Short mmCIF file of all heavy atoms in Angstrom, two decimals:
data_model
loop_
_atom_site.label_atom_id
_atom_site.label_comp_id
_atom_site.label_asym_id
_atom_site.label_seq_id
_atom_site.Cartn_x
_atom_site.Cartn_y
_atom_site.Cartn_z
N ALA Y 1 -59.64 32.72 -71.03
CA ALA Y 1 -58.53 33.65 -71.16
C ALA Y 1 -58.10 34.25 -69.82
O ALA Y 1 -56.93 34.60 -69.63
CB ALA Y 1 -58.91 34.77 -72.12
N LEU Y 2 -59.04 34.35 -68.87
CA LEU Y 2 -58.74 35.01 -67.60
C LEU Y 2 -58.22 34.06 -66.53
O LEU Y 2 -57.43 34.47 -65.67
CB LEU Y 2 -60.00 35.72 -67.08
CG LEU Y 2 -60.46 36.94 -67.88
CD1 LEU Y 2 -61.81 37.41 -67.37
CD2 LEU Y 2 -59.44 38.06 -67.79
N ILE Y 3 -58.65 32.81 -66.56
CA ILE Y 3 -58.28 31.88 -65.49
C ILE Y 3 -56.77 31.70 -65.33
O ILE Y 3 -56.29 31.53 -64.20
CB ILE Y 3 -59.02 30.54 -65.68
CG1 ILE Y 3 -60.49 30.70 -65.24
CG2 ILE Y 3 -58.36 29.42 -64.89
CD1 ILE Y 3 -61.35 29.47 -65.46
N PRO Y 4 -55.95 31.75 -66.41
CA PRO Y 4 -54.50 31.66 -66.18
C PRO Y 4 -53.97 32.72 -65.20
O PRO Y 4 -52.99 32.47 -64.49
CB PRO Y 4 -53.91 31.85 -67.58
CG PRO Y 4 -54.96 31.30 -68.49
CD PRO Y 4 -56.27 31.70 -67.85
N TYR Y 5 -54.64 33.86 -65.13
CA TYR Y 5 -54.19 34.90 -64.21
C TYR Y 5 -54.64 34.60 -62.77
O TYR Y 5 -54.17 35.25 -61.83
CB TYR Y 5 -54.72 36.26 -64.66
CG TYR Y 5 -54.06 36.69 -65.95
CD1 TYR Y 5 -54.69 36.45 -67.18
CD2 TYR Y 5 -52.81 37.28 -65.96
CE1 TYR Y 5 -54.08 36.81 -68.37
CE2 TYR Y 5 -52.19 37.64 -67.15
CZ TYR Y 5 -52.83 37.39 -68.35
OH TYR Y 5 -52.22 37.73 -69.53
N LEU Y 6 -55.51 33.63 -62.60
CA LEU Y 6 -55.89 33.15 -61.27
C LEU Y 6 -55.05 31.94 -60.88
O LEU Y 6 -54.78 31.72 -59.70
CB LEU Y 6 -57.38 32.83 -61.23
CG LEU Y 6 -58.30 34.02 -61.56
CD1 LEU Y 6 -59.75 33.58 -61.66
CD2 LEU Y 6 -58.16 35.13 -60.53
N LYS Y 7 -54.65 31.16 -61.88
CA LYS Y 7 -53.73 30.04 -61.63
C LYS Y 7 -52.28 30.51 -61.53
O LYS Y 7 -51.43 29.79 -61.01
CB LYS Y 7 -53.84 29.01 -62.76
CG LYS Y 7 -55.18 28.30 -62.83
CD LYS Y 7 -55.20 27.28 -63.95
CE LYS Y 7 -56.50 26.50 -64.00
NZ LYS Y 7 -56.51 25.50 -65.10
N GLY Y 8 -52.00 31.68 -62.09
CA GLY Y 8 -50.67 32.26 -61.94
C GLY Y 8 -49.63 31.79 -62.92
O GLY Y 8 -48.44 32.00 -62.70
N TYR Y 9 -50.05 31.16 -64.01
CA TYR Y 9 -49.06 30.73 -65.00
C TYR Y 9 -49.72 30.55 -66.36
O TYR Y 9 -50.94 30.46 -66.48
CB TYR Y 9 -48.41 29.41 -64.57
CG TYR Y 9 -49.27 28.18 -64.82
CD1 TYR Y 9 -49.12 27.42 -65.99
CD2 TYR Y 9 -50.25 27.77 -63.91
CE1 TYR Y 9 -49.91 26.31 -66.23
CE2 TYR Y 9 -51.04 26.67 -64.14
CZ TYR Y 9 -50.87 25.93 -65.31
OH TYR Y 9 -51.66 24.84 -65.56
N THR Y 10 -48.88 30.52 -67.38
CA THR Y 10 -49.31 30.15 -68.72
C THR Y 10 -48.28 29.17 -69.28
O THR Y 10 -47.34 28.77 -68.57
CB THR Y 10 -49.45 31.38 -69.62
OG1 THR Y 10 -50.05 31.00 -70.87
CG2 THR Y 10 -48.10 32.05 -69.89
N THR Y 11 -48.45 28.76 -70.51
CA THR Y 11 -47.47 27.89 -71.16
C THR Y 11 -46.98 28.54 -72.44
O THR Y 11 -47.68 29.33 -73.08
CB THR Y 11 -48.06 26.50 -71.48
OG1 THR Y 11 -49.23 26.66 -72.31
CG2 THR Y 11 -48.45 25.76 -70.20
N HIS Y 12 -45.78 28.20 -72.81
CA HIS Y 12 -45.16 28.71 -74.04
C HIS Y 12 -44.53 27.55 -74.79
O HIS Y 12 -43.78 26.76 -74.20
CB HIS Y 12 -44.09 29.75 -73.68
CG HIS Y 12 -43.30 30.22 -74.86
ND1 HIS Y 12 -43.74 31.22 -75.70
CD2 HIS Y 12 -42.09 29.82 -75.35
CE1 HIS Y 12 -42.84 31.43 -76.64
NE2 HIS Y 12 -41.82 30.58 -76.45
N ARG Y 13 -44.85 27.45 -76.06
CA ARG Y 13 -44.23 26.43 -76.91
C ARG Y 13 -43.02 27.04 -77.61
O ARG Y 13 -43.15 28.01 -78.36
CB ARG Y 13 -45.22 25.87 -77.93
CG ARG Y 13 -44.68 24.64 -78.69
CD ARG Y 13 -45.75 24.03 -79.59
NE ARG Y 13 -46.81 23.44 -78.80
CZ ARG Y 13 -46.78 22.23 -78.28
NH1 ARG Y 13 -45.71 21.47 -78.44
NH2 ARG Y 13 -47.81 21.78 -77.58
N ALA Y 14 -41.85 26.50 -77.38
CA ALA Y 14 -40.60 27.10 -77.83
C ALA Y 14 -40.50 27.12 -79.35
O ALA Y 14 -40.89 26.17 -80.04
CB ALA Y 14 -39.41 26.35 -77.26
N THR Y 15 -39.98 28.23 -79.85
CA THR Y 15 -39.69 28.38 -81.27
C THR Y 15 -38.18 28.61 -81.44
O THR Y 15 -37.44 28.74 -80.45
CB THR Y 15 -40.47 29.56 -81.87
OG1 THR Y 15 -40.13 30.75 -81.15
CG2 THR Y 15 -41.97 29.34 -81.75
N ALA Y 16 -37.74 28.65 -82.67
CA ALA Y 16 -36.31 28.79 -82.95
C ALA Y 16 -35.76 30.07 -82.31
O ALA Y 16 -36.35 31.14 -82.43
CB ALA Y 16 -36.06 28.82 -84.46
N GLY Y 17 -34.66 29.93 -81.62
CA GLY Y 17 -33.98 31.09 -81.03
C GLY Y 17 -34.49 31.52 -79.67
O GLY Y 17 -33.97 32.48 -79.10
N ASP Y 18 -35.50 30.83 -79.14
CA ASP Y 18 -36.03 31.20 -77.82
C ASP Y 18 -34.97 31.04 -76.73
O ASP Y 18 -34.20 30.07 -76.75
CB ASP Y 18 -37.24 30.34 -77.46
CG ASP Y 18 -38.54 30.94 -77.97
OD1 ASP Y 18 -38.54 32.11 -78.39
OD2 ASP Y 18 -39.57 30.23 -77.94
N SER Y 19 -34.98 31.97 -75.81
CA SER Y 19 -34.16 31.85 -74.61
C SER Y 19 -35.05 32.14 -73.40
O SER Y 19 -36.11 32.76 -73.52
CB SER Y 19 -33.00 32.84 -74.62
OG SER Y 19 -33.48 34.17 -74.48
N TYR Y 20 -34.60 31.71 -72.23
CA TYR Y 20 -35.38 31.99 -71.03
C TYR Y 20 -35.52 33.50 -70.80
O TYR Y 20 -36.56 33.97 -70.32
CB TYR Y 20 -34.74 31.34 -69.81
CG TYR Y 20 -35.24 29.93 -69.54
CD1 TYR Y 20 -36.01 29.23 -70.47
CD2 TYR Y 20 -34.95 29.29 -68.33
CE1 TYR Y 20 -36.48 27.95 -70.22
CE2 TYR Y 20 -35.41 28.01 -68.06
CZ TYR Y 20 -36.16 27.34 -69.01
OH TYR Y 20 -36.62 26.07 -68.75
N TRP Y 21 -34.49 34.25 -71.11
CA TRP Y 21 -34.56 35.70 -70.91
C TRP Y 21 -35.64 36.30 -71.80
O TRP Y 21 -36.44 37.13 -71.34
CB TRP Y 21 -33.21 36.33 -71.24
CG TRP Y 21 -33.21 37.82 -70.97
CD1 TRP Y 21 -32.95 38.45 -69.80
CD2 TRP Y 21 -33.51 38.85 -71.93
NE1 TRP Y 21 -33.07 39.81 -69.93
CE2 TRP Y 21 -33.41 40.09 -71.24
CE3 TRP Y 21 -33.84 38.86 -73.28
CZ2 TRP Y 21 -33.63 41.32 -71.87
CZ3 TRP Y 21 -34.08 40.08 -73.91
CH2 TRP Y 21 -33.97 41.29 -73.21
N GLN Y 22 -35.72 35.86 -73.06
CA GLN Y 22 -36.75 36.38 -73.96
C GLN Y 22 -38.15 35.99 -73.51
O GLN Y 22 -39.08 36.80 -73.53
CB GLN Y 22 -36.50 35.86 -75.38
CG GLN Y 22 -35.25 36.40 -76.04
CD GLN Y 22 -34.92 35.67 -77.32
OE1 GLN Y 22 -35.06 34.44 -77.40
NE2 GLN Y 22 -34.46 36.40 -78.33
N ILE Y 23 -38.29 34.73 -73.09
CA ILE Y 23 -39.61 34.25 -72.65
C ILE Y 23 -40.04 34.98 -71.39
O ILE Y 23 -41.19 35.42 -71.26
CB ILE Y 23 -39.57 32.73 -72.42
CG1 ILE Y 23 -39.28 32.01 -73.74
CG2 ILE Y 23 -40.88 32.24 -71.82
CD1 ILE Y 23 -38.95 30.53 -73.56
N ALA Y 24 -39.12 35.16 -70.45
CA ALA Y 24 -39.43 35.86 -69.22
C ALA Y 24 -39.85 37.30 -69.50
O ALA Y 24 -40.81 37.80 -68.90
CB ALA Y 24 -38.24 35.82 -68.27
N SER Y 25 -39.16 37.97 -70.40
CA SER Y 25 -39.50 39.35 -70.74
C SER Y 25 -40.87 39.43 -71.40
O SER Y 25 -41.66 40.34 -71.10
CB SER Y 25 -38.43 39.94 -71.66
OG SER Y 25 -37.17 39.97 -71.05
N ARG Y 26 -41.17 38.50 -72.25
CA ARG Y 26 -42.44 38.53 -72.97
C ARG Y 26 -43.62 38.37 -72.02
O ARG Y 26 -44.66 39.02 -72.20
CB ARG Y 26 -42.46 37.41 -74.02
CG ARG Y 26 -43.78 37.27 -74.75
CD ARG Y 26 -43.72 36.19 -75.81
NE ARG Y 26 -45.03 35.94 -76.41
CZ ARG Y 26 -45.26 35.04 -77.36
NH1 ARG Y 26 -44.25 34.31 -77.84
NH2 ARG Y 26 -46.48 34.87 -77.84
N TYR Y 27 -43.49 37.52 -71.02
CA TYR Y 27 -44.62 37.21 -70.13
C TYR Y 27 -44.50 37.87 -68.76
O TYR Y 27 -45.27 37.53 -67.85
CB TYR Y 27 -44.72 35.69 -69.95
CG TYR Y 27 -45.10 34.94 -71.20
CD1 TYR Y 27 -44.12 34.30 -71.96
CD2 TYR Y 27 -46.42 34.87 -71.62
CE1 TYR Y 27 -44.46 33.59 -73.11
CE2 TYR Y 27 -46.77 34.16 -72.76
CZ TYR Y 27 -45.78 33.53 -73.50
OH TYR Y 27 -46.12 32.83 -74.64
N HIS Y 28 -43.57 38.82 -68.62
CA HIS Y 28 -43.39 39.50 -67.33
C HIS Y 28 -43.12 38.49 -66.21
O HIS Y 28 -43.71 38.55 -65.14
CB HIS Y 28 -44.62 40.36 -66.99
CG HIS Y 28 -44.97 41.34 -68.06
ND1 HIS Y 28 -44.22 42.47 -68.31
CD2 HIS Y 28 -46.00 41.36 -68.96
CE1 HIS Y 28 -44.76 43.13 -69.32
NE2 HIS Y 28 -45.84 42.49 -69.72
N SER Y 29 -42.21 37.60 -66.49
CA SER Y 29 -41.80 36.60 -65.51
C SER Y 29 -40.33 36.85 -65.18
O SER Y 29 -39.85 37.98 -65.27
CB SER Y 29 -42.02 35.19 -66.07
OG SER Y 29 -41.74 34.20 -65.12
N SER Y 30 -39.63 35.82 -64.76
CA SER Y 30 -38.19 35.94 -64.49
C SER Y 30 -37.52 34.64 -64.88
O SER Y 30 -38.15 33.57 -64.90
CB SER Y 30 -37.92 36.25 -63.02
OG SER Y 30 -38.21 35.12 -62.22
N VAL Y 31 -36.23 34.73 -65.17
CA VAL Y 31 -35.48 33.53 -65.54
C VAL Y 31 -35.50 32.53 -64.39
O VAL Y 31 -35.66 31.32 -64.60
CB VAL Y 31 -34.04 33.91 -65.92
CG1 VAL Y 31 -33.18 32.66 -66.08
CG2 VAL Y 31 -34.02 34.74 -67.20
N GLN Y 32 -35.36 33.01 -63.15
CA GLN Y 32 -35.34 32.10 -62.02
C GLN Y 32 -36.67 31.36 -61.87
O GLN Y 32 -36.70 30.17 -61.56
CB GLN Y 32 -35.03 32.85 -60.73
CG GLN Y 32 -34.90 31.94 -59.50
CD GLN Y 32 -33.87 30.86 -59.69
OE1 GLN Y 32 -32.73 31.13 -60.06
NE2 GLN Y 32 -34.25 29.60 -59.46
N ARG Y 33 -37.77 32.05 -62.11
CA ARG Y 33 -39.08 31.37 -62.04
C ARG Y 33 -39.20 30.29 -63.12
O ARG Y 33 -39.75 29.21 -62.87
CB ARG Y 33 -40.22 32.38 -62.19
CG ARG Y 33 -40.40 33.27 -60.98
CD ARG Y 33 -41.70 34.06 -61.07
NE ARG Y 33 -41.91 34.89 -59.89
CZ ARG Y 33 -42.43 34.47 -58.74
NH1 ARG Y 33 -42.78 33.19 -58.62
NH2 ARG Y 33 -42.60 35.29 -57.73
N LEU Y 34 -38.68 30.57 -64.29
CA LEU Y 34 -38.72 29.58 -65.37
C LEU Y 34 -37.85 28.37 -65.01
O LEU Y 34 -38.25 27.21 -65.24
CB LEU Y 34 -38.24 30.20 -66.67
CG LEU Y 34 -39.16 31.24 -67.31
CD1 LEU Y 34 -38.46 31.93 -68.47
CD2 LEU Y 34 -40.44 30.59 -67.80
N VAL Y 35 -36.69 28.61 -64.45
CA VAL Y 35 -35.80 27.52 -64.07
C VAL Y 35 -36.46 26.64 -63.02
O VAL Y 35 -36.45 25.41 -63.10
CB VAL Y 35 -34.45 28.07 -63.55
CG1 VAL Y 35 -33.63 26.95 -62.92
CG2 VAL Y 35 -33.68 28.73 -64.70
N THR Y 36 -37.07 27.26 -62.02
CA THR Y 36 -37.71 26.50 -60.94
C THR Y 36 -38.88 25.69 -61.46
O THR Y 36 -39.07 24.53 -61.06
CB THR Y 36 -38.19 27.46 -59.83
OG1 THR Y 36 -37.07 28.19 -59.32
CG2 THR Y 36 -38.86 26.69 -58.70
N ALA Y 37 -39.69 26.27 -62.33
CA ALA Y 37 -40.90 25.60 -62.80
C ALA Y 37 -40.63 24.52 -63.85
O ALA Y 37 -41.52 23.69 -64.12
CB ALA Y 37 -41.87 26.62 -63.39
N ASN Y 38 -39.44 24.52 -64.42
CA ASN Y 38 -39.13 23.57 -65.49
C ASN Y 38 -37.81 22.85 -65.21
O ASN Y 38 -36.82 23.01 -65.94
CB ASN Y 38 -39.04 24.32 -66.83
CG ASN Y 38 -40.34 25.03 -67.19
OD1 ASN Y 38 -41.25 24.44 -67.74
ND2 ASN Y 38 -40.41 26.32 -66.86
N PRO Y 39 -37.77 22.04 -64.16
CA PRO Y 39 -36.49 21.45 -63.75
C PRO Y 39 -35.91 20.46 -64.73
O PRO Y 39 -34.71 20.15 -64.66
CB PRO Y 39 -36.85 20.76 -62.42
CG PRO Y 39 -38.31 20.48 -62.52
CD PRO Y 39 -38.88 21.64 -63.28
N THR Y 40 -36.69 19.94 -65.65
CA THR Y 40 -36.18 18.93 -66.59
C THR Y 40 -35.70 19.54 -67.90
O THR Y 40 -35.24 18.82 -68.79
CB THR Y 40 -37.26 17.88 -66.90
OG1 THR Y 40 -38.37 18.51 -67.54
CG2 THR Y 40 -37.73 17.19 -65.62
N ILE Y 41 -35.81 20.87 -68.05
CA ILE Y 41 -35.41 21.53 -69.30
C ILE Y 41 -34.04 22.20 -69.11
O ILE Y 41 -33.80 22.89 -68.11
CB ILE Y 41 -36.46 22.57 -69.73
CG1 ILE Y 41 -37.80 21.89 -70.04
CG2 ILE Y 41 -35.98 23.36 -70.95
CD1 ILE Y 41 -38.91 22.85 -70.36
N ASP Y 42 -33.16 22.00 -70.06
CA ASP Y 42 -31.85 22.65 -70.07
C ASP Y 42 -32.00 24.03 -70.71
O ASP Y 42 -32.24 24.12 -71.92
CB ASP Y 42 -30.85 21.81 -70.86
CG ASP Y 42 -29.46 22.42 -70.89
OD1 ASP Y 42 -29.28 23.54 -70.36
OD2 ASP Y 42 -28.55 21.80 -71.47
N PRO Y 43 -31.87 25.12 -69.97
CA PRO Y 43 -32.08 26.46 -70.55
C PRO Y 43 -31.12 26.79 -71.67
O PRO Y 43 -31.43 27.64 -72.51
CB PRO Y 43 -31.86 27.40 -69.35
CG PRO Y 43 -32.03 26.54 -68.14
CD PRO Y 43 -31.56 25.18 -68.53
N SER Y 44 -29.97 26.14 -71.70
CA SER Y 44 -28.99 26.45 -72.74
C SER Y 44 -29.25 25.69 -74.04
O SER Y 44 -28.60 25.93 -75.04
CB SER Y 44 -27.58 26.11 -72.24
OG SER Y 44 -27.44 24.71 -72.02
N SER Y 45 -30.21 24.77 -74.00
CA SER Y 45 -30.49 23.98 -75.20
C SER Y 45 -31.99 23.66 -75.26
O SER Y 45 -32.42 22.53 -75.04
CB SER Y 45 -29.67 22.68 -75.17
OG SER Y 45 -29.93 21.91 -76.32
N ILE Y 46 -32.78 24.70 -75.55
CA ILE Y 46 -34.24 24.55 -75.59
C ILE Y 46 -34.64 24.03 -76.96
O ILE Y 46 -34.40 24.69 -77.98
CB ILE Y 46 -34.94 25.88 -75.29
CG1 ILE Y 46 -34.50 26.43 -73.93
CG2 ILE Y 46 -36.46 25.70 -75.32
CD1 ILE Y 46 -35.03 27.82 -73.62
N LYS Y 47 -35.25 22.88 -77.00
CA LYS Y 47 -35.66 22.30 -78.27
C LYS Y 47 -36.94 22.94 -78.78
O LYS Y 47 -37.85 23.24 -78.01
CB LYS Y 47 -35.86 20.79 -78.11
CG LYS Y 47 -34.59 20.04 -77.74
CD LYS Y 47 -34.86 18.55 -77.59
CE LYS Y 47 -33.58 17.80 -77.22
NZ LYS Y 47 -33.82 16.35 -77.05
#
């Protein structure tokens, strides 16, 4: 449970209605960090 805070990231499995803004708020991240870390995902159409 603690090592993700040493690696500096976690993972999130998308559910219905998820947006980058919601995910960033939940995990104390930012939309820009999500965009950079996930270059193959379209933020406007998260499956």
Side-chain angles (χ1 to χ4, degrees):
L2 291 172
I3 284 176
Y5 292 96
L6 301 173
K7 294 181 177 180
Y9 78 95
T10 188
T11 57
H12 174 84
R13 189 174 293 276
T15 58
D18 272 348
S19 69
Y20 270 12
W21 183 86
Q22 292 170 320
I23 296 168
S25 299
R26 175 178 174 181
Y27 293 100
H28 305 288
S29 185
S30 70
V31 170
Q32 184 55 52
R33 287 191 178 277
L34 290 171
V35 170
T36 301
N38 301 275
T40 63
I41 297 175
D42 180 357
S44 65
S45 180
I46 303 173
K47 297 180 180 179

